[in-house]
């Protein structure tokens, strides 16, 4: 289980939606490195937060898809 940094939280993903960019990648219309897990419209529940976080454990959230640590296995 990852440990969130300052102002961050760990979210258990409950739903992911495909976006127009995902369709372009699927149709070879958008250059990217493969393999790639598609779907970046994310909703879930906070399972861990740092001490300074503004969200609560158990709170339902959406995720800003363009912010990444680059550390996820997916």
């Amino acid at each position: 289980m990852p440990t969130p940094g300052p102002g961050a939280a760990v979210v258990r993903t409950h739903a992911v939606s495909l976006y127009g960019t995902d369709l372009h990648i699927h149709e070879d219309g958008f250059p990217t490195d493969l393999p790639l897990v598609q779907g970046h419209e994310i909703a879930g529940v906070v399972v861990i937060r740092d001490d300074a976080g503004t969200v609560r454990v158990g709170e339902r959230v959406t995720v800003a898809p363009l912010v990444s640590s680059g550390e996820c296995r997916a």
Side-chain angles (χ1 to χ4, degrees), residues 53-66:
T54 58
V55 296
R56 297 180 312 263
V57 171
E59 186 172 352
R60 294 177 183 181
V61 295
T62 59
V63 178
L66 301 177

